[in-house]
Amino acid sequence: MNTADGPYAVAVAELPLSAHRSAERAGAVVVVPGDAGWREAARRAEADGAAAIIVRDPGVIDAARPEATAGTAPIVIERLLLRSDVAFDAAQAPVPELALIQVECSGSSAEFDLVLRDALGWARVLGGGALTLLKVTATSRGLCVFLERPAADAGGGPVAVTVLASRRAAPAWIRAAAIGADRVEVTIDNARGTAAVDRSTAAGRLTVPPRWESPERVVVRRALDAGRDTDECAEWERDVTLVAVIREQEARIRESNTADRQPRVP
C-alpha cells in the first residue's frame, strides 16, 4: 500500500496479513488526498499502475464529472459520516411497509455541503434506492429538502423523504430514520466519533453493537476487496450531483427573497 498518511499507515500496520506499505505505486493501493485536485491525483495514480485508489473524504468540489475518473482502477471513497460498515448494519433488514424517511443534519458553513451530501447518502441507504428531488425550501439557518424514492421493482409504492439541514458553528451530526411497520434509526456524532443504529419493532428495541474499527482501516479493507465495490464511486457521484442541484435551487430562492425585500421606489 502506497501512503504517507499517518492514520492510513497505522491502519496498514494493523492488518499485517493483508497489507504492507510500499514505496511503489504499481500494483499497490494508493491513497490520495480529497482536496480540489483529487481527480487528477487519482488519474496519475492509475497511470502509475495502482491496483485501487482510496480518496480521503473528498469535498463537494469539482462535482459530478464521472468521466474525469473513469478507468480500470477501482476507487474507494472515504466518507466519515457515512461509513460503509455502519451503512451495512442499517440496511441489513429493510423496513417492511416503508413509508417515510426523515433525516436531520447540522454542520458549520464550511462543511455544510459535506454533511448534506452524506445526509442524502443515508436517505438513499435507508430507502434502498436512488432519490428523486421534488422541492427545496430555504430556512433561516439552512434547508428543507423534499425527495422521493420511486416505487421499488419488487413492489411497494414510492417513499417520501425529507432532509432538514441546518448551519451551526458546532461539530457535524446526522440523525436518520426509516419509518414503516418497523423503525430504523441512525445517529452519527462527529464530535464523539460515534455511530449508533437502533431498530424498533413490535417485539421491542434492538441496538446494534457499535463499530470500533477506525474509519481508515475499514476503507483499507474495502480497497483490498475493491473489485466487489463496483457502485461505490457512482453512489458518491449521485449524492454530490444532488447536492449541487439543491444548492443551485437554494441560491435562486435566496436571491429571489432578497429581491422581494428591496424597497420599491414610488
Side-chain angles (χ1 to χ4, degrees):
M1 184 159 174
N2 180 272
T3 179
D5 187 286
Y8 276 96
V10 172
V12 172
E14 293 175 344
L15 297 167
L17 300 181
S18 303
H20 64 274
R21 293 184 66 184
S22 171
E24 301 295 327
R25 286 186 149 200
V29 174
V30 178
V31 180
V32 300
D35 55 23
W38 76 263
R39 293 177 186 272
E40 180 58 34
R43 286 197 295 269
R44 288 197 302 268
E46 183 170 33
D48 291 339
I53 300 164
I54 293 173
V55 183
R56 290 222 64 172
D57 200 29
V60 187
I61 304 169
D62 187 27
R65 293 194 294 118
E67 73 282 359
T69 47
T72 57
I75 295 178
V76 179
I77 306 288
E78 177 193 84
R79 300 178 69 164
L80 297 179
L81 296 174
L82 180 53
R83 287 176 48 144
S84 59
D85 52 350
V86 181
F88 175 83
D89 290 339
Q92 266 292 82
V95 173
E97 302 175 33
L98 179 62
L100 175 65
I101 297 170
Q102 293 180 323
V103 185
E104 296 176 272
C105 63
S106 179
S108 66
S109 295
E111 60 184 354
F112 183 78
D113 284 355
L114 279 69
V115 176
L116 178 59
R117 177 201 67 192
D118 287 352
L120 293 166
W122 273 113
R124 173 178 48 76
V125 168
L126 293 176
L131 305 174
T132 300
L133 179 62
L134 300 179
K135 183 179 179 181
V136 176
T137 61
T139 67
S140 60
R141 289 183 175 271
L143 293 170
C144 188
V145 184
F146 300 91
L147 308 103
E148 181 180 74
R149 192 220 64 191
D153 294 338
V159 177
V161 180
T162 61
V163 177
L164 181 61
S166 61
R167 296 179 178 89
R168 296 179 185 276
W173 56 265
I174 297 175
R175 285 195 296 268
I179 303 166
D182 299 340
R183 180 185 178 102
V184 171
E185 298 180 36
V186 179
T187 304
I188 311 296
D189 188 328
N190 209 30
R192 298 179 180 178
T194 58
V197 179
D198 297 285
R199 187 179 188 93
S200 300
T201 69
R205 184 181 180 94
L206 171 68
T207 298
V208 177
R211 298 279 191 166
W212 298 111
E213 190 173 22
S214 73
E216 293 81 12
R217 200 167 99 165
V218 171
V219 173
V220 169
R221 289 195 297 101
R222 287 179 66 79
L224 294 173
D225 293 331
R228 306 173 189 172
D229 298 328
T230 55
D231 292 334
E232 183 161 334
C233 198
E235 290 172 350
W236 183 87
E237 294 281 3
R238 281 195 291 268
D239 295 340
V240 167
T241 300
L242 195 50
V243 169
V245 174
I246 290 169
R247 298 284 274 121
E248 182 180 341
Q249 292 195 21
E250 179 197 15
R252 288 202 298 264
I253 292 169
R254 295 195 186 281
E255 182 179 353
S256 175
N257 290 345
T258 300
D260 289 343
R261 288 195 296 268
Q262 294 295 327
R264 299 187 180 184
V265 178

